[in-house]
Amino acid sequence: MDFKDWLSDILNECVLSDLDVQRKTGINRSLIWHYKQGTKKPSFQNVGLLADIIATTKGKKEVLSHKQIYMLRLELMFQMYQMLGGSNVD
């Protein structure tokens, strides 16, 4: 699965709209749309912000501990980094 499809799927799974993501991360909604279309790649900073909101949302839904949320965030960052081509992330 490529990043754009994965991001759309996981945001749907977490019931997060582009506007929700913008409000919680500060990432412009237009950029989020481009990420989901595959026309732009997120910066490493934005990968971290996306991982944080996804991990936090999943953590609340699944009642995870702070340590489990932290580990999930790291795992998500690693997955996104790999999907985006490693060192090719802008």
Side-chain angles (χ1 to χ4, degrees), residues 26-74:
I27 300 170
N28 185 290
R29 196 169 60 181
S30 171
L31 271 178
I32 297 162
W33 182 85
H34 280 285
Y35 299 160
K36 290 166 60 175
Q37 297 304 308
T39 55
K40 291 189 179 183
K41 291 182 180 182
S43 65
F44 192 70
Q45 178 181 351
N46 286 353
V47 165
L49 291 170
L50 290 169
D52 188 46
I53 189 175
I54 293 165
T56 302
T57 302
K58 288 186 103 178
K60 288 178 183 174
K61 187 177 183 181
E62 299 172 17
V63 192
L64 301 177
S65 69
H66 290 294
K67 182 179 179 181
Q68 290 171 315
I69 292 171
Y70 177 77
M71 296 305 291
L72 178 57
R73 182 178 186 267
L74 292 176

Side-chain angles (χ1 to χ4, degrees), residues 6-16 54 57-58 61-62:
W6 177 86
L7 182 62
S8 292
D9 289 349
I10 200 150
L11 292 180
N12 285 335
E13 178 185 322
C14 291
V15 192
L16 290 167
I54 293 165
T57 302
K58 288 186 103 178
K61 187 177 183 181
E62 299 172 17

